[in-house]
Amino acid sequence: MTPSKKFRRLAAAAACLLATASLAEGPAREVPPKQRERLAFIAPTGLTPLRGKLVFSAYHALRGQELWTTDGTLQGTTLLKEIRPGFQGSFPTGFVAFRGHVYFTATDGAAGLELWRTDGTPGGTRMVVDLRAGAEGSTPNALTTLGDALYLVANDGRQGFQLWRTDGTGASFRRLTNVQSSAGAVPRQLTPAGARLFFTATDAQAGHELWTSDGTPEGTRRVKDVRPGPQDSNIENLVVVGGTLFFTANDGVHGTELWKSDGTEAGTVLVRDIRAGDAPSRPAYLSVLGNQLLFSADDGQNGTELWRSDGTAAGTTLVKDIRPGAAHAFPNHLTVAGTRAFFAASDGVHGVELWQTDGTAAGTTLVADIAPGDASGSPARLAWIGDRLWFTASHGTHGTEAWTSDGTRAGTQLAVDVVPGPGNGIPSRYTPLRGGMALTAEDGNGNERLWWRGKDGRLVLLGAPLAARLR
């Protein structure tokens, strides 16, 4: 999900809260007995490790969206705290681990969406600061850690959405920016790079451009007006290789291309005009493999293929024309695993399948034809965990389920068939827990549930069974 989409989701949640803030009790409604059970929760999100357990957000018909925890067993899965008592829920979101706690955004119904934290206990779950007093809330978002500081974007009701810094306590909150703020112009894309933070923000002179901060208001500034004047340069895809920031931008001359920055105006430059002229090459899926950058791009001759860059024009080259000619292989979901990266692509023969690369043409190979022939396995939600790749893929016999791979054909196997047969579990959010793997997946009845898969392949539903879709 893009940063702007995350912000819109938070804004929608805030609007919903304002609309229901005056309700003291929920409306009369019939909740079936099975949906009243203690563990009849659905839609788990934000799975975040904390002290051997996971903290997450989930929905229950009687409690709304609230804060939950699990140790990977049914007995150890429970509501952590009902932050906002009643059916409306507190909407916990934006989880990030920091200094022995998990920080997140939530509302208790009296204050709006504000910054909270938990140590994994009910007593240790509390609001950090009521930055914007009242029901509207400051709507903290883009929580990002850097060194001993937590950075976030929030609206205190005075200057709109700005960049803030805290050490995790309410007393340490400090506003770092005073930039233009509107629905589409909030600071976003917070990206740590060594001791500094990069982000994008808007001012009246330069539009939405690249900024940096050293954690002080004096050291927070615009880096460069990539597209001179008030027009935005559409900076996206921020990623750091070593101490260098790479990103994509449109300077109004070259189209959307690959750029880099060392945090200075002079050191913020176009890396290469991959598709010469004003047509864009649209670099995407920027990923760090060792000391080089991997990404997909379209040079106008080979289609959208796999590229690499060392930060120089000469060192920015096509890795391999996976689908020969002008047709597109569309490499996507690049996921680094040590000295190689996995991704999904189509060579025009096998459909969209699992590939791997070491950054060389010879080392870029098809791993497995999961859906044989020209059908597509469509690998997605790739995550390298321990010594294996976990991902979701589609097979005609098993539907869309969880797979694992060690990078060999023989070692690429179905991990678990959550919805047996051709049904689709559509697993995601793979998170190590208790020697196994926690994940979310459909239960076959339209409910996304929390599961745990042991090393022996055993699958456990961490919740009460639901025979019908919870509404």
Side-chain angles (χ1 to χ4, degrees):
M1 184 183 298
T2 64
S4 58
K5 286 182 180 177
K6 289 179 182 178
F7 174 75
R8 286 197 294 270
R9 174 177 285 185
L10 277 169
C16 176
L17 290 170
L18 285 173
T20 59
S22 62
L23 294 177
E25 297 180 355
R29 59 196 181 119
E30 195 67 34
V31 178
K34 289 294 291 183
Q35 296 181 14
R36 291 177 173 270
E37 292 189 18
R38 183 177 67 88
L39 295 181
F41 65 87
I42 63 169
T45 61
L47 278 60
T48 305
L50 178 65
R51 303 180 184 183
K53 298 182 179 182
L54 295 182
V55 174
F56 61 98
S57 175
Y59 174 83
H60 190 283
L62 298 180
R63 298 181 175 89
Q65 198 81 15
E66 281 293 351
L67 190 66
W68 291 71
T69 185
T70 183
D71 64 2
T73 68
L74 188 61
Q75 297 76 16
T77 302
T78 186
L79 178 72
L80 176 52
K81 183 168 185 173
E82 191 171 9
I83 294 173
R84 184 181 188 179
F87 83 102
Q88 294 178 30
S90 64
F91 295 96
T93 189
F95 298 91
V96 63
F98 179 62
R99 288 189 164 184
H101 292 76
V102 169
Y103 286 75
F104 57 97
T105 298
T107 175
D108 61 5
L113 287 167
E114 294 291 353
L115 185 66
W116 285 66
R117 75 177 188 181
T118 182
D119 63 2
T121 68
T125 303
R126 57 176 64 93
M127 184 164 58
V128 176
V129 64
D130 190 4
L131 192 61
R132 185 176 185 175
E136 191 164 356
S138 65
T139 317
N141 63 92
L143 276 61
T144 304
T145 62
L146 174 57
D148 61 354
L150 175 67
Y151 292 82
L152 56 100
V153 177
N155 181 355
D156 66 357
R158 298 179 180 88
Q159 286 96 10
F161 284 95
Q162 303 293 338
L163 180 67
W164 296 73
R165 171 185 167 143
T166 177
D167 64 8
T169 64
S172 68
F173 260 71
R174 189 179 191 188
R175 181 170 55 82
L176 301 180
T177 60
N178 185 21
V179 296
Q180 182 176 327
S181 177
S182 64
V186 298
R188 59 189 184 94
Q189 303 186 99
L190 279 58
T191 306
R196 68 161 61 93
L197 183 78
F198 284 102
F199 61 101
T200 58
T202 299
D203 61 22
Q205 295 76 35
H208 202 81
E209 294 289 350
L210 184 66
W211 286 62
T212 188
S213 177
D214 64 1
T216 68
E218 300 78 17
T220 302
R221 55 180 172 77
R222 175 166 27 95
V223 176
K224 183 172 184 172
D225 188 4
V226 173
R227 185 168 188 166
Q231 279 191 295
D232 300 342
S233 60
N234 297 319
I235 293 175
E236 300 284 352
N237 303 308
L238 279 65
V239 65
V240 177
V241 181
T244 301
L245 178 77
F246 287 84
F247 59 97
T248 60
N250 183 347
D251 63 2
V253 177
H254 299 96
T256 301
E257 294 291 350
L258 184 66
W259 286 67
K260 69 176 183 179
S261 177
D262 62 3
T264 68
E265 183 173 10
T268 302
V269 297
L270 176 70
V271 175
R272 178 180 167 182
D273 190 10
I274 294 172
R275 188 167 185 170
D278 59 359
S281 69
R282 295 190 178 91
Y285 300 103
L286 277 62
S287 303
V288 182
L289 181 62
N291 59 359
Q292 65 181 334
L293 183 75
L294 290 180
F295 58 99
S296 68
D298 180 3
D299 64 1
Q301 299 176 11
N302 298 289
T304 303
E305 295 289 349
L306 185 65
W307 285 68
R308 68 182 178 192
S309 178
D310 63 3
T312 67
T316 301
T317 60
L318 178 70
V319 175
K320 185 172 184 175
D321 191 4
I322 295 170
R323 187 168 186 170
H328 306 279
F330 289 121
N332 60 84
H333 300 297
L334 271 69
T335 301
V336 174
T339 59
R340 59 185 166 174
F342 291 90
F343 60 97
S346 172
D347 62 4
V349 177
H350 298 94
V352 180
E353 295 294 352
L354 184 66
W355 287 69
Q356 64 181 336
T357 184
D358 62 2
T360 69
T364 302
T365 59
L366 176 69
V367 176
D369 188 14
I370 295 171
D374 60 359
S376 292
S378 301
R381 302 178 174 92
L382 280 63
W384 180 255
I385 299 171
D387 60 355
R388 297 191 69 84
L389 180 76
W390 284 76
F391 62 101
T392 301
S394 178
H395 186 283
T397 304
H398 301 288
T400 303
E401 295 292 351
W403 288 68
T404 65
S405 179
D406 61 2
T408 68
R409 176 62 191 94
T412 302
Q413 304 168 343
L414 179 70
V416 60
D417 194 6
V418 181
V419 179
N424 300 309
I426 318 178
S428 63
R429 303 182 181 90
Y430 302 110
T431 310
L433 178 64
R434 200 169 63 88
M437 189 65 63
L439 58 122
T440 63
E442 296 279 338
D443 61 2
N445 297 309
N447 303 300
E448 189 175 27
R449 310 300 307 278
L450 182 63
W451 307 78
W452 180 81
R453 184 222 186 237
K455 284 188 175 180
D456 59 0
R458 180 170 54 99
L459 184 67
V460 177
L461 171 63
L462 300 179
L466 293 170
R469 184 175 182 181
L470 194 153
R471 300 180 183 276

